[in-house]
Amino acid sequence: MVDTLLTGYDGHGVLGNSTVALGSDISFDTKEGGLTKLNFGASFTNSDLIAALTLNDKGNTLCASYYHTVSPLTNTAVGAEVTHSFSGNENTITIGTQHSLDPLTTVKAHVNHFGKASALIQHEWCLKSLITISTEVDIKSIDKSAKFGLAFSHRGEKRGEA
C-alpha cells in the first residue's frame, strides 16, 4: 500500500532589501512529529562587503562570515568564516581569497586552522562552459597524498533565451 498522505511541511522565506536580509528554512515531519530542518540567517551587504550570521542544523551550528571586495577591476576579494558547533564544542576558522587573472580565468584559495588548504583555477573556455582544476592538501600531515580534481561544466540556455 502506498502512503499518499502528506508527510511533512516545508517553509522558507526571506525578508529584506539590497542592504539587510533575514531568512529562515524550516521542515517538519508529520509522521515523526519533529523538525527535520531549522535554519535562520541574517546578512548585511553594501558595495564592497557582505557579512552574514547563520544558525543551522536545528540550532547546533553558528556561522559568521565576511566577504570583502578589494579590487572590483580584478575581482580580487578576501573572506573569512568562523563556525561553532555547539554539540561538539568545536570551532573552525577559514580564510580565503580570489583573484581574476583575466576576464575568463579566476584563481581561488582557502585554508582553515586545521591545516586543510585548497586552491583552484577556473577558466571559461567557451561561452557558458567552464573547466576547473582543484587541489586540497593537509599541511599538518604532508605525508598524506594531496587530492586533485578536474571538472567541466556547461550552463545551458533557459527556454526563451536567445
Side-chain angles (χ1 to χ4, degrees), residues 60-162:
N60 183 51
T61 306
L62 182 65
C63 182
S65 61
Y66 178 80
Y67 176 88
H68 180 80
T69 302
V70 177
S71 171
L73 182 64
T74 58
N75 194 27
T76 302
V78 295
E81 179 181 85
V82 178
T83 302
H84 176 74
S85 169
F86 293 104
S87 64
N89 197 26
E90 182 175 81
N91 297 317
T92 303
I93 301 169
T94 305
I95 58 170
T97 188
Q98 72 176 28
H99 176 77
S100 291
L101 300 175
D102 60 49
L104 301 175
T105 309
T106 301
V107 293
K108 297 180 181 183
H110 71 266
V111 62
N112 69 23
H113 78 285
F114 292 119
K116 294 269 183 166
S118 60
L120 67 79
I121 185 165
Q122 189 171 61
H123 181 72
E124 186 172 354
W125 57 283
C126 68
L127 186 63
K128 297 186 180 182
S129 296
L130 300 171
I131 183 169
T132 305
I133 301 169
S134 62
T135 186
E136 180 183 274
V137 65
D138 185 346
I139 56 178
K140 289 187 176 180
S141 299
I142 204 71
D143 56 322
K144 292 183 181 176
S145 296
K147 297 177 184 176
F148 290 93
L150 177 65
F152 298 95
S153 65
H154 177 74
R155 293 178 294 217
E157 292 179 1
K158 295 179 184 175
R159 289 187 176 179
E161 278 188 356

Side-chain angles (χ1 to χ4, degrees), residues 33-52:
L35 290 171
T36 56
K37 186 187 299 183
L38 180 60
N39 302 319
F40 294 100
S43 68
F44 173 81
T45 305
N46 78 12
S47 62
D48 65 345
L49 70 88
I50 301 170

